[in-house]
Amino acid sequence: MSRLFSKQKALWLLLIISSLLASLFLQVEGFPAAFLLGPMLCGIVFSLIDERLAVPHPFFLCAQALIGCAVAESITATILVSIVKDWAVMFLIVGSTVLAGALVGWILVKCRTLPGTTAAWGSAPGAASAMVVMAEAYGADARLVAVMQYLRVLVVVLTASFVAHVMIVDGVPAAAPAAHQLFSLDMGSWQTLLSTLTVVVVGGFVGYFLRIPAGAILVPMLLGGVLHAGGFVELYQPLWLKACAAVVLGWYVGLGFDRRILISAFRLLPRLLLSTVLLIILCGVSAWLLVDILHTDPLTAYLSTSPGGLESMILIAMGSQADVPFVVAVQTLRLFVVILTGPAIARLICRYA
């Protein structure tokens, strides 16, 4: 037992060191969300070495709440008014993204790649963890749904990060924080940090115990956004704290790829990759509509419609020149629409595919 514990500690130490080096390399190269991508890629490698490695659930919930509160820092009353003004277009874009996921699921069933419920939940462009839980409740193969969802998250995050890296808004690249800024122990005023952590703890606690889908990120984001936009509190997180949240999220996604699931789904991998690429292309059409109708900048439109994890897209948007509140609004709306319509879409795919 002690030998196993020592091995676990050694692997975690190696994972921390390799994740830090990978993140710094990506940061120097100018990739957005470098402290998400580096740990995620390292997590995939270490999950194949020892699949017992896993991020403790409380750490994951804390990371979600910190990310949600970080988004709330950028929400103002002016931004909320602009979001309300464009709600109809947002619903149109979200609807097209959900239909794209349903179309991909229908194709997978039609080609006899997967059974109906598994294909429907696996191709649903919602939060991966929520889709796996709901899929199991509705009788789908949770393992294959997990493979499809986390494979989609991985491909979408890598693609979105590359797009954000090469895409320049208004001809000016986004400035990445310098290393000394990331490791600065500047805490801001203690009152501001205390109020921020209060929102994180209260919002995360409420979101988790009320069993709201992605509640650990959504409730702190909404609570902090209302308080911040209304001028009731000032929110602030030092860069090192935001980086820690991104690292934990990267590990959570990367370590979710265990060897057992990957081997069982290996023969389906080419088709699953093809379906993921097809979904990204269809969502890219939604992004084009967003640019054409609302004249949104291409990077914001792409990140708003990308079918990746809510937290991942938020971190990439925060690390680039995208309109963060707009990305958050569209991605959050998509999450709720997918959760509400998921069972009905699964039934339709099973009936007509």
Side-chain angles (χ1 to χ4, degrees):
M1 182 64 70
S2 60
R3 184 179 299 176
L4 176 62
F5 184 67
S6 299
K7 179 185 176 183
Q8 292 279 305
K9 287 197 297 185
L11 286 175
W12 271 111
L13 180 60
L14 288 174
L15 177 58
I16 291 170
I17 294 173
S18 59
S19 298
L20 180 61
L21 292 175
S23 299
L24 290 175
F25 172 77
L26 293 172
Q27 185 77 16
V28 170
E29 292 299 316
F31 279 87
F35 281 83
L36 167 72
L37 283 175
M40 183 178 68
L41 295 173
C42 292
I44 293 172
V45 174
F46 276 78
S47 72
L48 299 177
I49 297 173
D50 188 343
E51 59 191 45
R52 287 186 295 267
L53 288 179
V55 174
H57 199 56
F59 282 81
F60 177 56
L61 295 177
C62 288
Q64 286 184 304
L66 285 169
I67 294 169
C69 207
V71 173
E73 293 180 35
S74 61
I75 297 177
T76 64
T78 305
I79 290 171
L80 292 177
V81 170
S82 65
I83 290 174
V84 171
K85 178 183 175 183
D86 298 322
W87 68 268
V89 177
M90 286 188 181
F91 267 104
L92 175 65
I93 299 302
V94 168
S96 64
T97 303
V98 173
L99 287 176
L103 176 61
V104 171
W106 181 83
I107 292 173
L108 287 173
V109 177
K110 202 70 176 176
C111 295
R112 301 183 184 277
T113 302
L114 293 170
T117 52
T118 301
W121 288 109
S123 58
S129 55
M131 293 302 100
V132 172
V133 172
M134 293 184 70
E136 190 169 18
Y138 282 90
D141 186 335
R143 294 186 308 162
L144 285 177
V145 171
V147 170
M148 292 178 67
Q149 287 288 337
Y150 284 111
L151 182 64
R152 173 177 56 80
V153 170
L154 174 63
V155 174
V156 169
V157 169
L158 292 176
T159 305
S161 298
F162 179 75
V163 169
H165 176 60
V166 300
M167 190 176 289
I168 298 176
V169 181
D170 294 331
V172 182
H180 74 274
Q181 291 177 300
L182 283 167
F183 295 105
S184 170
L185 294 179
D186 172 39
M187 307 289 283
S189 68
W190 69 267
Q191 297 97 331
T192 302
L193 184 60
L194 181 61
S195 63
T196 302
L197 293 179
T198 301
V199 172
V200 168
V201 173
V202 173
F205 183 88
V206 171
Y208 175 71
F209 282 98
L210 290 183
R211 299 184 182 278
I212 299 171
I217 185 174
L218 292 179
V219 175
M221 184 176 67
L222 295 174
L223 176 62
V226 170
L227 294 176
H228 183 65
F232 300 105
V233 297
E234 184 181 352
L235 300 177
Y236 173 77
Q237 286 185 46
L239 287 173
W240 63 266
L241 190 57
K242 295 178 182 178
C244 288
V247 167
V248 172
L249 176 60
W251 283 342
Y252 179 81
V253 175
L255 293 174
F257 286 84
D258 67 76
R259 193 184 319 170
R260 208 168 39 249
I261 296 176
L262 287 177
I263 291 176
S264 66
F266 184 74
R267 64 184 181 85
L268 298 174
L269 208 54
R271 294 185 183 183
L272 296 183
L273 280 172
L274 185 61
S275 67
T276 299
V277 172
L278 177 60
L279 182 58
I280 292 174
I281 293 173
L282 291 174
C283 291
V285 175
S286 298
W288 175 77
L289 290 174
L290 197 56
V291 173
D292 190 57
I293 296 173
L294 279 187
H295 305 293
T296 309
D297 70 85
L299 180 57
T300 297
Y302 183 83
L303 294 179
S304 297
T305 58
S306 288
L310 175 65
E311 305 97 330
S312 305
M313 292 303 102
I314 289 173
L315 283 171
I316 294 173
M318 290 170 60
S320 63
Q321 288 188 328
D323 185 344
V324 176
F326 189 86
V327 173
V328 170
V330 177
Q331 289 282 349
T332 304
L333 183 61
R334 175 174 59 83
L335 172 62
F336 283 114
V337 170
V338 168
I339 289 173
L340 291 173
T341 61
I345 290 176
R347 285 194 296 269
L348 288 173
I349 290 177
C350 290
R351 179 179 299 178
Y352 294 107

